Amino acid sequence: MSDIPNWHIIGDWFDNCSCAVACPCTFGQAPDNGFCESVLFWHVREGHYGDVKLDNLSFVRVGRWEGDLWARKASGVAGLYIDEHADDRQMAVLPALIGGRAGGFPGWVNECFAGGRQARGVERAKINFEIAPDQAHWGVEIAGKVKAWAKALLGPTSMPGQYPRLMNAPGSETGPGPQLVTWGKSTILSVDAYGFKFEYKSNSAKHIPFDWTGPAPYRPAVSSPL
């Protein structure tokens, strides 16, 4: 990776997937029924890849993966949408980052797909999203292609304005550290994009911040979940 510059991105990530609440990924487990159909969202609040600024850019991945990610026995297929405001240099950089080709934590995630990852394309899109300041709700839409909205979990014993969160999750999709998982429940997950067509309601969703650097590779303290 001698030709890859230093990079650093900080922001918000959330997903909306086919698994039941609470998502087994959070506990380092395989997905329900052996597969996961999902929408994954990233918003870079600030960041750079060498001299390429990445502030205030968003991107969305739609797809399906099978197997046990955390046991490094997964395979996947996905397509990527990048903020329509991204210039050509940013369009080249972001797929390399999220695909793991630039190292860091995404590089480790890429290694978990022992069965391979297939990309169906990368396109610019108008991405509309919202994340409540207290993570009470979050969601993203790409007109005619993606709709994924969720609310933080609440119940009869919840304290008002306080949502279920987990520190030190065994399976955090944004890596270790101060990444606080806020659990949610989908209100709608609808995808008709890149050859995928699925719809779920009342399924799993979660919000986790991310803070990634590279190209130095991430190496976990333990190699696999118990």
Side-chain angles (χ1 to χ4, degrees):
M1 293 189 178
S2 59
D3 59 336
I4 298 174
N6 291 329
W7 58 267
H8 185 195
I9 56 175
I10 300 170
D12 293 276
W13 175 95
F14 61 73
D15 75 347
N16 196 318
C17 79
S18 56
C19 291
V21 177
C23 178
C25 270
T26 307
F27 303 97
Q29 304 301 306
D32 294 349
N33 305 309
F35 72 91
C36 179
E37 293 180 319
S38 60
V39 169
L40 309 181
F41 170 87
W42 293 259
H43 177 68
V44 182
R45 293 196 303 273
E46 56 182 294
H48 69 91
Y49 179 90
D51 64 353
V52 180
K53 293 292 185 181
L54 301 173
D55 298 5
N56 298 314
L57 289 176
S58 300
F59 46 106
V60 175
R61 173 180 280 168
V62 300
R64 174 187 171 107
W65 58 276
E66 301 179 359
D68 189 343
L69 176 75
W70 306 106
R72 306 169 77 80
K73 297 179 180 179
S75 60
V77 183
L80 189 65
Y81 292 104
I82 294 177
D83 196 313
E84 64 179 354
H85 299 107
D87 63 26
D88 289 346
R89 295 181 75 200
Q90 293 165 333
M91 282 290 292
V93 163
L94 287 171
L97 284 177
I98 196 61
R101 299 189 297 277
F105 182 74
W108 180 83
V109 172
N110 189 55
E111 294 173 0
C112 293
F113 286 85
R117 300 170 88 179
Q118 178 185 343
R120 290 190 175 172
V122 181
E123 299 178 18
R124 284 186 176 91
K126 183 177 182 179
I127 299 172
N128 296 307
F129 75 95
E130 183 178 345
I131 302 172
D134 62 352
Q135 291 85 50
H137 63 268
W138 54 84
V140 62
E141 288 190 28
I142 300 173
K145 298 176 179 179
V146 175
K147 184 179 290 187
W149 292 92
K151 293 182 178 180
L153 289 174
L154 288 171
T157 63
S158 300
M159 296 293 290
Q162 296 185 25
Y163 307 109
R165 294 186 168 101
L166 178 68
M167 295 181 65
N168 196 31
S172 167
E173 287 97 332
T174 69
Q179 278 68 297
L180 194 63
V181 181
T182 302
W183 277 309
K185 187 174 184 178
S186 168
T187 54
I188 181 64
L189 169 58
S190 179
V191 169
D192 187 356
Y194 285 115
F196 298 103
K197 192 175 180 65
F198 53 82
E199 184 168 328
Y200 296 92
K201 294 181 179 179
S202 300
N203 46 290
S204 174
K206 56 188 175 297
H207 170 279
I208 319 175
F210 65 84
D211 186 342
W212 293 341
T213 59
Y218 163 77
R219 289 292 176 259
V222 293
S223 59
S224 63
L226 296 176

